[in-house]
Amino acid sequence: MTLDATAPATVRGDVTSWRFARRVSLALMLVLVAGWFVLLRPTVVGGPASYLIVSGTSMLPTIASGDLVLAVEQRSYAVGDVVVYRVPAGQPAAGSMIIHRIVGGDTRSGYIVRGDNRQGQDPWRPTNRDVVGRMRVDVPAVGRLVVLLRQPFGIALLAALTTFLVALGTSNVRTPK
């Protein structure tokens, strides 16, 4: 849209306000993306964060199956921390990721971990090298949505929704006569 000097002041003001709001929202989005990249970038691209979908009931009522958990790497961990760790190499289920609470132990001898919904401790003694990170955020049930979107039906549903929204957004476009 081009404006000339004869355009009403309200139109010029509206366009200027719209452009300013657009620039501010773009700057805000860039700051958010940069912050995420620095603080919450996944470990697969060299970052400190791991995103996991919980499966099982061992951490009820704290964490439920289908929750999405954000775990962030730390220098040290303490009793009471909910941590994500890989089962140590050479052990049954080696490499599997477990999310449980530290109930004892230390860095040298390994941590004693247990699920909140369990009586006994885990058979493994993860060390700092095995711990992926401490739980920072638990988003209930979002993991189920992620799992759905990985399925063909979920992908088709997302494509249909996107098409609908694009069609809805362009329905008010007027063509010149």
Side-chain angles (χ1 to χ4, degrees):
M1 175 180 205
T2 59
L3 295 176
D4 59 11
T6 61
T10 57
V11 172
R12 281 182 288 192
D14 289 346
V15 170
T16 303
S17 297
W18 181 79
R19 285 181 181 159
F20 178 74
R22 189 171 177 194
R23 287 183 178 137
V24 167
S25 66
L26 179 62
L28 181 61
M29 182 61 73
L30 289 173
V31 166
L32 288 173
V33 168
W36 171 85
F37 186 78
V38 170
L39 301 173
L40 300 174
R41 184 176 67 248
T43 55
V44 295
V45 290
S50 295
Y51 298 85
L52 305 125
I53 298 170
V54 176
S55 174
T57 60
S58 66
M59 283 300 290
L60 286 174
T62 308
I63 307 169
S65 188
D67 289 2
L68 178 69
V69 169
L70 166 67
V72 179
E73 188 177 10
Q74 294 184 183
R75 289 188 177 145
S76 63
Y77 303 94
V79 172
D81 288 347
V82 175
V83 295
V84 176
Y85 70 91
R86 291 190 189 281
V87 174
Q91 301 287 322
S96 297
M97 299 239 272
I98 310 286
I99 182 165
H100 280 170
R101 188 177 305 277
I102 296 175
V103 295
D106 57 34
T107 304
R108 281 184 234 157
S109 62
Y111 299 108
I112 300 171
V113 287
R114 180 180 79 209
D116 290 353
N117 195 26
R118 305 258 182 204
Q119 294 301 318
Q121 64 191 30
D122 291 358
W124 309 287
R125 288 283 186 106
T127 62
N128 275 358
R129 186 181 55 155
D130 303 312
V131 177
V132 174
R134 181 171 74 94
M135 181 181 80
R136 293 289 184 166
V137 177
D138 171 32
V139 186
V142 170
R144 291 182 186 149
L145 178 63
V146 173
V147 169
L148 173 68
L149 292 176
R150 288 181 174 175
Q151 305 298 321
F153 175 75
I155 294 169
L157 187 64
L158 183 62
L161 180 63
T162 302
T163 302
F164 174 74
L165 291 174
V166 167
L168 187 65
T170 59
S171 65
N172 290 333
V173 174
R174 295 184 181 148
T175 57
K177 294 182 180 182

